[in-house]
mmCIF file of all heavy atoms in Angstrom:
data_model
loop_
_atom_site.group_PDB
_atom_site.id
_atom_site.type_symbol
_atom_site.label_atom_id
_atom_site.label_comp_id
_atom_site.label_asym_id
_atom_site.label_seq_id
_atom_site.Cartn_x
_atom_site.Cartn_y
_atom_site.Cartn_z
ATOM 1 N N ASN A 1228 11.124 -6.751 -10.904
ATOM 2 C CA ASN A 1228 10.581 -5.449 -10.513
ATOM 3 C C ASN A 1228 10.462 -5.369 -8.926
ATOM 4 O O ASN A 1228 10.303 -6.414 -8.289
ATOM 5 C CB ASN A 1228 9.290 -5.078 -11.165
ATOM 6 C CG ASN A 1228 8.179 -5.891 -10.636
ATOM 7 O OD1 ASN A 1228 7.553 -5.501 -9.624
ATOM 8 N ND2 ASN A 1228 7.789 -7.026 -11.140
ATOM 9 N N PRO A 1229 10.701 -4.153 -8.451
ATOM 10 C CA PRO A 1229 10.818 -4.045 -6.954
ATOM 11 C C PRO A 1229 9.374 -4.034 -6.310
ATOM 12 O O PRO A 1229 8.947 -3.043 -5.666
ATOM 13 C CB PRO A 1229 11.510 -2.816 -6.715
ATOM 14 C CG PRO A 1229 11.139 -2.025 -7.946
ATOM 15 C CD PRO A 1229 10.918 -2.895 -9.044
ATOM 16 N N TYR A 1230 8.590 -5.130 -6.436
ATOM 17 C CA TYR A 1230 7.365 -5.311 -5.721
ATOM 18 C C TYR A 1230 6.274 -4.268 -6.099
ATOM 19 O O TYR A 1230 5.435 -3.855 -5.182
ATOM 20 C CB TYR A 1230 7.578 -5.255 -4.231
ATOM 21 C CG TYR A 1230 8.733 -6.338 -3.703
ATOM 22 C CD1 TYR A 1230 9.968 -5.905 -3.682
ATOM 23 C CD2 TYR A 1230 8.499 -7.618 -3.396
ATOM 24 C CE1 TYR A 1230 11.004 -6.761 -3.411
ATOM 25 C CE2 TYR A 1230 9.295 -8.445 -3.006
ATOM 26 C CZ TYR A 1230 10.742 -8.038 -2.984
ATOM 27 O OH TYR A 1230 11.652 -8.923 -2.664
ATOM 28 N N ASN A 1240 9.255 -6.524 4.667
ATOM 29 C CA ASN A 1240 10.564 -5.810 5.178
ATOM 30 C C ASN A 1240 11.614 -6.899 5.527
ATOM 31 O O ASN A 1240 11.419 -8.103 5.131
ATOM 32 C CB ASN A 1240 10.255 -4.896 6.291
ATOM 33 C CG ASN A 1240 11.187 -3.625 6.181
ATOM 34 O OD1 ASN A 1240 12.361 -3.818 6.044
ATOM 35 N ND2 ASN A 1240 10.621 -2.436 6.302
ATOM 36 N N ARG A 1241 12.524 -6.583 6.286
ATOM 37 C CA ARG A 1241 13.681 -7.342 6.487
ATOM 38 C C ARG A 1241 13.703 -8.204 7.729
ATOM 39 O O ARG A 1241 13.283 -7.735 8.830
ATOM 40 C CB ARG A 1241 14.974 -6.522 6.336
ATOM 41 C CG ARG A 1241 15.179 -5.831 5.053
ATOM 42 C CD ARG A 1241 16.336 -4.906 5.083
ATOM 43 N NE ARG A 1241 16.628 -4.515 3.710
ATOM 44 C CZ ARG A 1241 15.901 -3.561 3.095
ATOM 45 N NH1 ARG A 1241 14.835 -2.838 3.737
ATOM 46 N NH2 ARG A 1241 16.096 -3.229 1.749
ATOM 47 N N ASP A 1260 18.658 -10.371 0.208
ATOM 48 C CA ASP A 1260 18.973 -8.969 0.378
ATOM 49 C C ASP A 1260 20.291 -9.019 1.099
ATOM 50 O O ASP A 1260 20.233 -8.681 2.345
ATOM 51 C CB ASP A 1260 17.907 -8.217 1.015
ATOM 52 C CG ASP A 1260 18.123 -6.773 1.001
ATOM 53 O OD1 ASP A 1260 18.151 -6.074 -0.025
ATOM 54 O OD2 ASP A 1260 18.064 -6.224 2.139
ATOM 55 N N LEU A 1265 14.382 -10.389 2.626
ATOM 56 C CA LEU A 1265 13.571 -9.257 2.398
ATOM 57 C C LEU A 1265 12.098 -9.759 1.798
ATOM 58 O O LEU A 1265 12.148 -10.595 0.896
ATOM 59 C CB LEU A 1265 14.297 -8.320 1.412
ATOM 60 C CG LEU A 1265 13.461 -7.088 0.913
ATOM 61 C CD1 LEU A 1265 13.230 -6.117 1.974
ATOM 62 C CD2 LEU A 1265 14.171 -6.489 -0.302
ATOM 63 N N HIS A 1266 11.127 -9.189 2.301
ATOM 64 C CA HIS A 1266 9.754 -9.231 1.688
ATOM 65 C C HIS A 1266 9.353 -10.650 1.347
ATOM 66 O O HIS A 1266 8.737 -11.048 0.326
ATOM 67 C CB HIS A 1266 9.669 -8.391 0.504
ATOM 68 C CG HIS A 1266 9.704 -6.965 0.736
ATOM 69 N ND1 HIS A 1266 9.333 -6.263 1.795
ATOM 70 C CD2 HIS A 1266 10.217 -5.934 -0.163
ATOM 71 C CE1 HIS A 1266 9.466 -4.980 1.758
ATOM 72 N NE2 HIS A 1266 10.072 -4.658 0.528
ATOM 73 N N HIS A 1338 2.701 -2.808 -1.229
ATOM 74 C CA HIS A 1338 3.968 -2.036 -1.638
ATOM 75 C C HIS A 1338 3.686 -1.143 -2.937
ATOM 76 O O HIS A 1338 4.405 -1.265 -3.818
ATOM 77 C CB HIS A 1338 4.938 -3.063 -1.926
ATOM 78 C CG HIS A 1338 6.336 -2.601 -1.751
ATOM 79 N ND1 HIS A 1338 7.009 -1.484 -2.368
ATOM 80 C CD2 HIS A 1338 7.457 -3.131 -0.946
ATOM 81 C CE1 HIS A 1338 8.160 -1.340 -2.056
ATOM 82 N NE2 HIS A 1338 8.630 -2.287 -1.236
ATOM 83 N N TYR A 1340 3.749 2.008 -5.222
ATOM 84 C CA TYR A 1340 4.705 3.168 -5.457
ATOM 85 C C TYR A 1340 3.907 4.332 -6.026
ATOM 86 O O TYR A 1340 3.332 4.237 -7.059
ATOM 87 C CB TYR A 1340 5.746 2.769 -6.503
ATOM 88 C CG TYR A 1340 6.844 1.848 -6.102
ATOM 89 C CD1 TYR A 1340 6.581 0.536 -5.770
ATOM 90 C CD2 TYR A 1340 8.199 2.324 -5.935
ATOM 91 C CE1 TYR A 1340 7.611 -0.281 -5.342
ATOM 92 C CE2 TYR A 1340 9.083 1.519 -5.566
ATOM 93 C CZ TYR A 1340 8.898 0.178 -5.318
ATOM 94 O OH TYR A 1340 9.955 -0.710 -4.866
ATOM 95 N N LEU A 1370 20.452 -1.993 6.610
ATOM 96 C CA LEU A 1370 18.957 -1.655 6.685
ATOM 97 C C LEU A 1370 18.225 -2.466 7.723
ATOM 98 O O LEU A 1370 16.970 -2.484 7.779
ATOM 99 C CB LEU A 1370 18.284 -1.575 5.340
ATOM 100 C CG LEU A 1370 18.445 -0.344 4.448
ATOM 101 C CD1 LEU A 1370 19.956 -0.439 3.932
ATOM 102 C CD2 LEU A 1370 17.579 -0.197 3.451
ATOM 103 N N GLY A 1406 20.352 4.365 4.068
ATOM 104 C CA GLY A 1406 19.190 4.063 3.244
ATOM 105 C C GLY A 1406 19.299 4.572 1.882
ATOM 106 O O GLY A 1406 18.264 4.233 1.075
ATOM 107 N N ASP A 1410 14.563 5.236 3.747
ATOM 108 C CA ASP A 1410 14.149 3.828 3.664
ATOM 109 C C ASP A 1410 14.037 3.341 5.217
ATOM 110 O O ASP A 1410 14.795 2.544 5.473
ATOM 111 C CB ASP A 1410 15.180 3.039 2.886
ATOM 112 C CG ASP A 1410 14.550 1.665 2.340
ATOM 113 O OD1 ASP A 1410 13.471 1.353 2.798
ATOM 114 O OD2 ASP A 1410 15.213 1.049 1.505
ATOM 115 N N HIS A 1411 13.207 3.954 5.833
ATOM 116 C CA HIS A 1411 13.106 3.889 7.321
ATOM 117 C C HIS A 1411 11.566 3.619 7.819
ATOM 118 O O HIS A 1411 10.761 4.006 7.201
ATOM 119 C CB HIS A 1411 13.595 5.048 7.944
ATOM 120 C CG HIS A 1411 15.022 5.444 7.657
ATOM 121 N ND1 HIS A 1411 15.398 6.051 6.607
ATOM 122 C CD2 HIS A 1411 16.163 5.108 8.387
ATOM 123 C CE1 HIS A 1411 16.742 6.151 6.572
ATOM 124 N NE2 HIS A 1411 17.242 5.649 7.689
ATOM 125 N N GLN A 1447 6.853 2.205 6.778
ATOM 126 C CA GLN A 1447 8.123 2.238 6.091
ATOM 127 C C GLN A 1447 7.906 3.430 5.143
ATOM 128 O O GLN A 1447 7.068 3.311 4.185
ATOM 129 C CB GLN A 1447 8.515 0.942 5.459
ATOM 130 C CG GLN A 1447 9.872 0.961 4.738
ATOM 131 C CD GLN A 1447 11.051 0.658 5.588
ATOM 132 O OE1 GLN A 1447 10.754 0.393 6.823
ATOM 133 N NE2 GLN A 1447 12.286 0.696 5.131
ATOM 134 N N PHE A 1448 8.755 4.425 5.202
ATOM 135 C CA PHE A 1448 8.809 5.458 4.129
ATOM 136 C C PHE A 1448 9.962 5.247 3.285
ATOM 137 O O PHE A 1448 11.124 5.236 3.742
ATOM 138 C CB PHE A 1448 8.759 6.897 4.804
ATOM 139 C CG PHE A 1448 9.173 7.942 3.736
ATOM 140 C CD1 PHE A 1448 8.555 7.957 2.547
ATOM 141 C CD2 PHE A 1448 10.077 8.926 4.090
ATOM 142 C CE1 PHE A 1448 8.882 8.877 1.573
ATOM 143 C CE2 PHE A 1448 10.461 9.895 3.151
ATOM 144 C CZ PHE A 1448 9.804 9.874 1.878
ATOM 145 N N TYR A 1449 9.774 4.807 2.000
ATOM 146 C CA TYR A 1449 10.756 4.653 1.134
ATOM 147 C C TYR A 1449 10.724 5.505 -0.076
ATOM 148 O O TYR A 1449 9.710 5.666 -0.670
ATOM 149 C CB TYR A 1449 10.578 3.079 0.714
ATOM 150 C CG TYR A 1449 11.536 2.674 -0.517
ATOM 151 C CD1 TYR A 1449 13.008 2.788 -0.442
ATOM 152 C CD2 TYR A 1449 10.942 2.044 -1.641
ATOM 153 C CE1 TYR A 1449 13.709 2.308 -1.501
ATOM 154 C CE2 TYR A 1449 11.785 1.745 -2.749
ATOM 155 C CZ TYR A 1449 13.168 1.809 -2.601
ATOM 156 O OH TYR A 1449 13.864 1.543 -3.673
ATOM 157 N N PHE A 1453 16.197 2.902 -5.053
ATOM 158 C CA PHE A 1453 16.673 1.919 -5.929
ATOM 159 C C PHE A 1453 16.186 1.961 -7.446
ATOM 160 O O PHE A 1453 16.655 1.212 -8.119
ATOM 161 C CB PHE A 1453 16.440 0.506 -5.250
ATOM 162 C CG PHE A 1453 17.261 0.399 -3.933
ATOM 163 C CD1 PHE A 1453 16.532 -0.023 -2.788
ATOM 164 C CD2 PHE A 1453 18.529 0.541 -3.805
ATOM 165 C CE1 PHE A 1453 17.093 -0.188 -1.560
ATOM 166 C CE2 PHE A 1453 19.121 0.507 -2.585
ATOM 167 C CZ PHE A 1453 18.404 0.139 -1.506
ATOM 168 N N LEU A 1454 15.157 2.775 -7.547
ATOM 169 C CA LEU A 1454 14.663 2.898 -8.920
ATOM 170 C C LEU A 1454 15.833 3.565 -9.735
ATOM 171 O O LEU A 1454 16.377 4.539 -9.218
ATOM 172 C CB LEU A 1454 13.380 3.767 -9.066
ATOM 173 C CG LEU A 1454 12.176 3.107 -8.313
ATOM 174 C CD1 LEU A 1454 11.088 4.147 -8.157
ATOM 175 C CD2 LEU A 1454 11.702 1.880 -8.937
ATOM 176 N N CYS A 1473 7.025 5.001 -1.395
ATOM 177 C CA CYS A 1473 6.199 3.965 -0.754
ATOM 178 C C CYS A 1473 5.953 4.373 0.742
ATOM 179 O O CYS A 1473 6.766 4.888 1.243
ATOM 180 C CB CYS A 1473 6.839 2.603 -0.805
ATOM 181 S SG CYS A 1473 7.221 1.994 -2.391
ATOM 182 N N GLU A 1475 4.624 2.059 3.390
ATOM 183 C CA GLU A 1475 4.172 0.658 3.730
ATOM 184 C C GLU A 1475 3.887 0.463 5.184
ATOM 185 O O GLU A 1475 4.763 0.467 6.032
ATOM 186 C CB GLU A 1475 5.391 -0.324 3.324
ATOM 187 C CG GLU A 1475 5.937 -0.108 1.914
ATOM 188 C CD GLU A 1475 7.417 -0.465 1.761
ATOM 189 O OE1 GLU A 1475 7.709 -1.628 2.138
ATOM 190 O OE2 GLU A 1475 8.210 0.357 1.335
HETATM 191 C C1 GLA B 1117 11.261 -1.766 0.651
HETATM 192 C C2 GLA B 1117 12.586 -1.753 1.301
HETATM 193 C C3 GLA B 1117 13.572 -1.093 0.282
HETATM 194 C C4 GLA B 1117 13.627 -1.867 -1.111
HETATM 195 C C5 GLA B 1117 12.191 -1.844 -1.554
HETATM 196 C C6 GLA B 1117 11.997 -2.633 -2.806
HETATM 197 O O1 GLA B 1117 10.716 -0.564 0.610
HETATM 198 O O2 GLA B 1117 12.626 -1.177 2.493
HETATM 199 O O3 GLA B 1117 14.806 -1.138 0.767
HETATM 200 O O4 GLA B 1117 14.029 -3.159 -0.893
HETATM 201 O O5 GLA B 1117 11.218 -2.473 -0.608
HETATM 202 O O6 GLA B 1117 13.071 -2.298 -3.730
#
Side-chain angles (χ1 to χ4, degrees):
N1228 74 88
Y1230 308 89
N1240 216 313
R1241 293 175 175 77
D1260 186 60
L1265 175 68
H1266 291 331
H1338 209 305
Y1340 283 72
L1370 282 74
D1410 198 349
H1411 295 84
Q1447 181 87 3
F1448 166 46
Y1449 170 56
F1453 297 124
L1454 296 170
C1473 302
E1475 306 152 55

